[in-house]
Amino acid sequence: MERVRPAAGYSSTYGQACMHCYKAKCRCVPSPRADSCERCHRLRKECLPSDSARRRNAHRSEESDTRIAQLEGRIEIMLSAMQSMAGSSGSSAEILRLLDEERIPLSTSRINDTPATSISTNPSISRVPKPATDPSPMVQARIDLSSPFPYSPSPPEPSLRHAEECLEFFRSQMLPYFPFINLIPDITAWQLHQNRPFLFQAILTVTTFSTQKRLARSEGLKRILFTSALLEVQSNIDLLLGLLTYLAWSTDAFLGRADLVSRLMMLAISLVYDMRLFKPLRLDTILMMTITQGQDYGGDQNPSDETVADFMERQRAVLACFVLSSNISSHLGRIDALRWTPQMEEALRIIETNTACLPDKAFAFQVRLQLLKQKAAHIREQNEIDRSRTSTASATTSMPGLLYLKTLREQLHGLISSFPPDIVQRGAFITHAHYVELYINQLAYSISCDSPPLNLSGPRSDGGHLPGFERLKCLWGSVESIKSWLDNFHKFSPSDLVGLPFHFWSQMILCVTILKYLSVLEDPAWNRQDVRNTVDLVAAIDLMIQKLDRVGIESSLQCDDSLFKLLSKLLSKCRVWAEARLSRASQMQDVEAGVNQGADPGETSQSSSIPDIDQMMWMQSMDLENDQWFEEALNLPSPFF
């Protein structure tokens, strides 16, 4: 049947264009001769009809129209349901259920320059959601995590329901232990993904407790960070908060990736500098940058556009960067902590007086604790400088540092007594305080370690203290601090341990290490048996192993490669060594004459002193998944064993 062409001068209707016009996506206008179109006549081409091809496409178009109509109908149903449930308490859960049933894909995109909703923890939440151990089970309702970024994470996107579980678990079980973000209770995963996409990705990563799955997700997080912070040279609060979240609950330091933690911490510090959170820019700097950049430098931070919530968010971020950099500096080395400034002191004062947000009091307490620890570390640095300037380190030159450390210890006790008793997770913060006291005591010991042994008949120093007695007092103070730390640790329920940040586990390992040294320390004035009677090393390790083994059971962690399994493995191997070493030390102590003759010179030299906590570099090489690391650490006379 011959195709009916429209009149000359009028475009062909849909499906009636010739083959050449159809392929070129051009308007097909029949020529007056009616045997071809004007375009084919002008180009001197044979005008061929395309009835068969267009009929197939028309059929596909009909199917698409039908599918679109079905989807529009479902969307109408969903909108009606959402409007009818608006204001009801169970609306969110019902909407999630309908989304899963209707299988409507949620495609979200990043909203640029949209201020985030103010974010505050709700520690009073009693319901403990199931931690996100396996993000692989998928439903059709998904959050498109790849839309804001050029690189998508390696693992599949989680369902909306799963994302809500991750957010709720982070908000109720993890954030209260380091409350540097103010997540309001009613913010949803979808809203957080829109306003803080990188922070949202970091939360999904730290709430994945399987080591292998977390590593896969962290690779995707690093690709996003590399693209945003380095290729696109972005500096914004979303990147900073997400990076701090990942660092706070990172497990990389225990998996042979301490160098990565240090590098990411340096990147976070650079973001703080670049966003001018560290200190305000000088006027001459602003003028010079404006001239060289050809624009108003810093104009994106107009104070008039900043809300109170935005201001508080930035203050918490810079203080969190200080706490994490200080912890990573002392536990892993390689970097220096963010320098404390008057602007940071003012930010801390603002956080302390913020009565509208109860978690801010706990966060300010954490910052004060870390500030005392950092001041003590500064004393160690000054003492090392003084020693390098003199050929011999006398007891007299150590006294100013010892007196200052004594002042810090008194300030610490005053801070602990002022901490509000009604703060949720108070035990975790007091545990941190005991570690800070251990740090100060060990530092005082290292300063006075060159003093002669305790001799009551010897001359007093200028400060009126016996150097040997001061050293002995520091050692016993360390024993008491470790005992207090362990007593608080035993009060944690296994489900509470899941949400603790990384520095808590570093503290646990370092407490066990120092207790090992104190239990076998060879010093004329030191009674090792009193240490064992006060804190038994083997018994303490046994209790920690039991607690860690119960974490996976009572917290419903559906994985066999969590950090808690690896820490339990580490402590189990430490127990075998500790039992043999303590038994041998007891036999040597019974035979006084054989202490120096029968002992290995290398072991004697190592057990006769205790290194600074900051100088235990074995933390940088720790890899709890590597059996070779365990073999080298157990067999070689390393600082750890």
Side-chain angles (χ1 to χ4, degrees), residues 54-93:
R54 301 310 302 276
R55 278 197 299 269
R56 288 197 299 271
N57 289 334
H59 177 67
R60 294 173 184 172
S61 177
E62 292 175 0
E63 292 181 349
S64 300
D65 291 341
T66 304
R67 178 60 177 163
I68 291 173
Q70 293 175 351
L71 291 176
E72 288 177 346
R74 292 180 178 178
I75 291 175
E76 298 256 345
I77 295 174
M78 292 301 304
L79 289 175
S80 300
M82 292 171 67
Q83 292 173 357
S84 64
M85 291 185 295
S88 63
S89 59
S91 60
S92 297

Side-chain angles (χ1 to χ4, degrees), residues 459-618:
R460 290 177 179 269
S461 62
D462 296 340
H465 295 273
L466 290 170
F469 180 76
E470 181 67 26
R471 179 160 51 93
L472 188 63
K473 186 172 66 173
C474 293
L475 289 176
W476 192 252
S478 297
V479 175
E480 293 177 341
S481 298
I482 293 174
K483 184 179 185 304
S484 299
W485 196 98
L486 292 173
D487 290 342
N488 278 272
F489 176 81
H490 298 323
K491 295 178 183 179
F492 285 98
S493 67
S495 58
D496 290 337
L497 296 178
V498 178
L500 294 173
F502 98 93
H503 59 258
F504 182 91
W505 303 112
S506 296
Q507 292 174 13
M508 181 193 74
I509 296 173
L510 291 171
C511 282
V512 173
T513 304
I514 297 298
L515 182 58
K516 167 260 174 182
Y517 278 110
L518 294 171
S519 300
V520 298
L521 180 64
E522 296 177 2
D523 190 295
W526 186 245
N527 192 330
R528 292 175 289 185
Q529 190 58 44
D530 286 345
V531 178
R532 299 169 196 171
N533 293 337
T534 304
V535 187
D536 184 84
L537 177 59
V538 175
I541 292 176
D542 285 338
L543 288 175
M544 286 188 283
I545 292 174
Q546 294 173 12
K547 185 69 67 72
L548 289 171
D549 289 341
R550 288 168 51 196
V551 170
I553 300 175
E554 298 190 19
S555 300
S556 302
L557 294 182
Q558 304 297 324
C559 57
D560 295 328
D561 60 342
S562 67
L563 174 65
F564 313 104
K565 293 281 187 182
L566 298 177
L567 290 174
S568 177
K569 174 184 176 181
L570 171 65
L571 292 176
S572 298
K573 292 184 179 294
C574 290
R575 186 195 184 282
V576 174
W577 174 90
E579 194 170 32
R581 182 66 181 87
L582 292 175
S583 176
R584 186 170 56 188
S586 298
Q587 296 174 3
M588 292 171 62
Q589 190 176 21
D590 293 338
V591 184
E592 222 176 284
V595 171
N596 294 326
Q597 298 177 0
D600 187 344
E603 288 183 350
T604 303
S605 61
Q606 285 201 18
S607 61
S608 61
S609 63
I610 302 177
D612 287 344
I613 294 180
D614 286 355
Q615 296 177 355
M616 294 181 180
M617 305 307 290
W618 52 267

Side-chain angles (χ1 to χ4, degrees), residues 110 149 196-199 202 221 224-230 232-246 267-268 271 275:
R110 185 173 184 176
F149 307 105
R196 294 286 187 264
F198 188 73
L199 172 61
L221 195 72
I224 296 171
L225 184 63
F226 175 81
T227 303
S228 302
L230 300 180
E232 299 178 0
V233 200
Q234 296 181 9
S235 297
N236 54 60
I237 192 67
D238 180 33
L239 283 177
L240 180 58
L241 291 178
L243 186 53
L244 294 177
T245 298
Y246 180 77
L267 179 57
L271 290 175
M275 296 170 63

Side-chain angles (χ1 to χ4, degrees), residues 335-353:
I335 68 169
D336 293 328
L338 188 65
R339 184 168 58 88
W340 189 259
T341 65
Q343 288 76 21
M344 295 166 68
E345 181 66 37
E346 179 65 17
L348 179 56
R349 188 190 64 80
I350 294 172
I351 295 296
E352 286 176 326
T353 57

